[in-house]
Amino acid sequence: MIKSFQILIVLIVFSTSVFGQNTFTLSSNDLGGQVTINEEFNGFGCTGENQSPQLSWKNAPEGTKSFAITMYDPDAPTGSGWWHWLVFDIPANINELVSGAGNMDLNLTPEGVIQSITDYGVNGYGGPCPPEGHGLHQYIITIYALKTDKLGLNESTNPAVVGYYLWNNTLAKASIVTYYQINKK
């Protein structure tokens, strides 16, 4: 009886350690299922606040040397989607970006963090602004745990090149998907 009880305890501990592991996770205090006027772009016919959302992450894999964040709209009618935000060289000891960190003038990111050019042609955060009446667009915000402390890129690097370097250096990634549309007036 004691032997079978000990085996049961070992199985419970084993299953908890194997199946109950904490996974790399991205979350936001600002975002729900849909983007709001706070995150919407201000330009291209949109009149939002263009405020990047608060983001936090936990349980990065062992060996993580830095992080990167992207925001991408695969539904943009461009043939290649639309890159709204590319942030990289975030030190491994950081686990949050505050609301508005994508505004380059506010200097809310840690020193050395790079926000490269978006498909709007500017650095920093450029919020959702789907074409009016185009329907729901999904916005994929992804955190990348990287095996390098620096990507070796700068603030002028285009999204495709950033994506290539991320692809080559990613240990793990986690995403939040949110949606937005502008209805015909």
Side-chain angles (χ1 to χ4, degrees), residues 149-172:
D149 60 342
K150 303 279 184 195
L151 288 180
L153 306 174
N154 64 40
E155 64 279 346
S156 299
T157 307
N158 73 50
V161 173
V162 173
Y164 177 78
Y165 277 75
L166 291 177
W167 184 81
N168 278 310
N169 289 287
T170 297
L171 295 170

Side-chain angles (χ1 to χ4, degrees), residues 94-108:
I94 301 296
N95 66 355
E96 178 183 26
L97 290 183
V98 298
S99 298
N103 182 331
M104 301 292 290
D105 295 333
L106 298 179
N107 290 322
L108 295 175

Side-chain angles (χ1 to χ4, degrees), residues 5 14 21 26 28 34 39 44 53-55 73 79-80 83 96 98 121 141 144 161 166-167 174 180 182:
F5 180 70
F14 176 75
Q21 292 179 355
L26 176 64
S28 175
Q34 293 192 351
E39 293 85 29
F44 277 42
Q54 178 275 346
L55 298 171
D73 172 6
S80 61
W83 292 98
E96 178 183 26
V98 298
I141 301 170
Y144 300 82
V161 173
L166 291 177
W167 184 81
Y180 197 58
I182 297 181

Side-chain angles (χ1 to χ4, degrees), residues 84-98:
H84 288 266
W85 200 19
L86 298 108
V87 187
F88 50 89
D89 293 353
I90 302 169
N93 65 338
I94 301 296
N95 66 355
E96 178 183 26
L97 290 183
V98 298

Side-chain angles (χ1 to χ4, degrees), residues 30 37-40 48-54 99-102 125 127:
D30 295 340
I37 196 78
N38 293 336
E39 293 85 29
E40 181 186 272
E49 308 269 330
N50 199 47
Q51 179 177 302
S52 62
Q54 178 275 346
S99 298
Y125 177 82

